[in-house]
Amino acid sequence: MTGITFTRHEGADAAAQLDAFLAAYEEVYAEPPYYEGPRDVAEFVDHYQVHTRRPAMRLVIAWDGDEAVGFTYGYFLLPETRWWHNLQDVTLSEEYMREDGHRSFAIIELAVRKAWRRRGVAAGLHAHLLDGLDAERVTLTVRPEPEADPARTAYLAWGYRKIGTSHPWEDAPLYDCMVQELPAS
């Protein structure tokens, strides 16, 4: 990972960084299993702008010189979240699903451009995103297709476990929902 640097941004500063990492998003999500095109990228841009207004939203960008080679972002789940209710194959207790705006941090995106994979960039992004985070747990979703196996393998190595299959909106593909419990601070 020699030469890779990381910058962390929050709130309005994170919103202003979209152009810095959008090319990385487009490159990564054009690949299987996503096959995203211009319409999908436009939807991502719209969603990202909404996400930057969430409490404690954090963005981390990985840089190789002045080139963005990866990014990750997430935010705390709000009390009215549907995150846990989207799980299709498991019944969680009301206590487990209870959110207070500080209990669970959701990683929404974590992506590294192909030429920089398997060099520790994803682990660095993940570590910088969670650095100093005061939460009980972190959750994320990953596609179940074989193309996503390297990501799933990394998440398992970082301490995540699958708790169910998520179907987050009507036309969405299925995702494996994973959780990592964090040590008490």
Side-chain angles (χ1 to χ4, degrees):
M1 197 168 60
T2 304
I4 302 296
T5 60
F6 299 91
T7 57
R8 191 165 89 189
H9 311 271
E10 299 180 12
D13 181 38
Q17 300 302 315
L18 178 62
D19 288 340
F21 71 86
L22 189 57
Y25 178 92
E26 291 172 323
E27 180 181 318
V28 170
Y29 287 97
E31 299 173 5
Y34 314 104
Y35 301 106
E36 289 192 5
R39 184 187 63 131
D40 302 295
V41 173
E43 287 178 7
F44 168 75
V45 168
D46 291 343
H47 289 126
Y48 180 75
Q49 295 302 330
V50 171
H51 293 166
T52 61
R53 294 191 292 268
R54 300 274 182 128
M57 188 277 193
R58 293 179 170 192
L59 163 72
V60 177
I61 303 173
W63 300 91
D64 189 350
D66 62 356
E67 185 172 12
V69 300
F71 69 96
T72 185
Y73 79 85
Y75 48 75
F76 281 105
L77 295 178
L78 297 175
E80 63 274 9
T81 188
R82 299 284 312 148
W83 187 273
W84 308 114
H85 298 278
N86 295 329
L87 299 181
Q88 305 294 296
D89 55 350
V90 66
T91 302
L92 300 173
S93 71
E94 287 299 317
E95 173 54 27
Y96 189 90
M97 295 188 297
R98 180 190 55 77
E99 294 297 340
D100 60 9
H102 300 285
R103 184 179 189 192
S104 302
F105 189 82
I107 298 176
I108 304 303
E109 300 286 352
L110 195 161
V112 177
R113 294 173 59 200
K114 194 171 199 169
W116 286 269
R117 292 181 191 154
R118 302 196 187 291
R119 294 172 47 186
V121 175
L125 284 164
H126 184 260
H128 281 80
L129 184 67
L130 301 186
D131 185 44
L133 186 68
D134 185 20
E136 288 180 31
R137 59 191 176 196
V138 179
T139 184
L140 54 79
T141 59
V142 62
R143 294 281 293 266
E145 292 89 348
E147 295 90 347
D149 283 348
R152 184 179 302 95
T153 299
Y155 299 146
L156 290 169
W158 299 342
Y160 288 87
R161 63 183 172 80
K162 179 182 174 182
I163 63 164
T165 302
S166 179
H167 190 235
W169 65 91
E170 188 175 322
D171 296 329
L174 297 176
Y175 294 86
D176 290 342
C177 181
M178 303 182 83
V179 173
Q180 177 190 68
E181 304 296 328
L182 297 178
S185 52

